[in-house]
Amino acid sequence: DVKVTQSSRYLVKRTGEKVFLECVQDMDHENMFWYRQDPGLGLRLIYFSYDVKMKEKGDIPEGYSVSREKKERFSLILESASTNQTSMYLCASSSAGARDTQYFGPGTRLTVL
Amino acid sequence: SQQGEEDPQALSIQEGENATMNCSYKTSINNLQWYRQNSGRGLVHLILIRSNEREKHSGRLRVTLDTSKKSSSLLITASRAADTASYFCATLPPGNNRLAFGKGNQVVVIP
């Protein structure tokens, strides 16, 4: 079974802090994605990566950056957290880009105070 | 950009009944996928239907796709309390490399 894990289920940070969200997958997938999910807005793509050290902006990349130094790990970085980044963050991976099934982690609920 | 739109937005049914939800989209697609999300958890892939397919089954799930109407439906037969979840459709336009998710459809199955 594909397993995608995220470093924290719940996280509380203060405005201005630098925040790291980690995602690890164990299926040797080339592609990894970061989404945020907000009530009434559904899932929105922040960034995705189709190979090590490769990244591409999604629909809402502002205020975020990503890092993919190893194939199995994809990190989302909030350089200076703000209250409007309070959200559920979901990581996903797939073997063939968006054409194929995406496997999701359990999510990290981030609260920025 | 978000493209899939599920309808109805919320559905409440008795255990044993069938649940049907629809998804409409605006542009042509390569495939359409349905996902389930239990409260506060990640999404789980249910079924993928390609643009040249009209119907697909998986256990108690039946998905149809009408590309002329740009719509899809997900039918859950003989629903169970464990089917209580949000259901999302996601579309992949041709030549694109990112899924567009709908806003989700909340289904509550009453035991």
Side-chain angles (χ1 to χ4, degrees):
Chain A
D1 274 356
V2 175
K3 192 165 185 184
V4 179
T5 57
Q6 295 183 229
S7 49
S8 306
R9 287 298 316 281
Y10 300 94
L11 207 52
V12 179
K13 295 291 181 181
R14 298 217 171 265
T15 300
E17 280 192 78
K18 191 168 186 175
V19 182
F20 292 87
L21 302 182
E22 305 283 342
C23 175
V24 177
Q25 50 95 3
D26 66 358
M27 278 301 290
D28 203 35
H29 283 167
E30 293 80 14
N31 307 288
M32 297 187 75
F33 307 83
W34 274 108
Y35 296 90
R36 65 175 281 176
Q37 183 179 23
D38 301 285
L41 296 177
L43 272 75
R44 294 180 292 169
L45 181 65
I46 305 171
Y47 267 98
F48 67 100
S49 168
Y50 46 90
D51 202 352
V52 175
K53 297 191 187 296
M54 306 300 285
K55 61 185 179 185
E56 194 165 320
K57 291 180 180 178
D59 299 316
I60 51 163
E62 296 77 21
Y64 303 95
S65 62
V66 289
S67 172
R68 188 138 181 232
E69 296 296 318
K70 293 184 178 181
K71 193 174 186 179
E72 67 271 17
R73 188 179 298 269
F74 191 34
S75 303
L76 179 69
I77 304 153
L78 286 66
E79 296 291 341
S80 177
S82 64
T83 55
N84 63 14
Q85 292 179 309
T86 291
S87 186
M88 169 73 104
Y89 289 88
L90 294 165
C91 174
S93 72
S94 74
S95 62
R99 293 189 300 279
D100 208 343
T101 300
Q102 290 191 15
Y103 296 87
F104 282 80
T108 295
R109 188 165 294 281
L110 172 68
T111 302
V112 182
L113 302 175
Chain B
S1 59
Q2 298 296 316
Q3 162 161 249
E5 291 287 344
E6 297 89 351
D7 176 70
Q9 298 297 305
L11 186 63
S12 184
I13 57 173
Q14 294 291 132
E15 198 166 32
E17 292 180 341
N18 295 342
T20 300
M21 58 209 90
N22 301 306
C23 169
S24 60
Y25 54 91
K26 295 182 174 65
T27 68
S28 59
I29 60 170
N30 181 297
N31 69 52
L32 185 145
Q33 304 179 29
W34 285 92
Y35 290 80
R36 183 189 74 226
Q37 184 181 35
N38 292 94
S39 180
R41 309 293 297 187
L43 277 69
V44 174
H45 180 262
L46 295 176
I47 200 163
L48 181 154
I49 187 164
R50 302 187 193 285
S51 60
N52 61 353
E53 297 176 309
R54 291 296 166 259
E55 189 171 312
K56 209 162 182 181
H57 296 255
S58 177
R60 293 183 296 112
L61 304 179
R62 173 176 167 254
V63 168
T64 61
L65 179 65
D66 187 335
T67 52
S68 66
K69 294 182 179 177
K70 292 187 170 55
S71 68
S72 172
S73 68
L74 171 66
L75 168 68
I76 305 172
T77 59
S79 63
R80 306 168 182 168
D83 294 328
T84 293
S86 292
Y87 292 83
F88 294 84
C89 71
T91 54
L92 180 69
N96 205 318
N97 55 3
R98 59 186 74 178
L99 286 174
F101 283 86
K103 293 182 173 54
N105 189 324
Q106 175 74 35
V107 174
V108 175
V109 181
I110 303 165

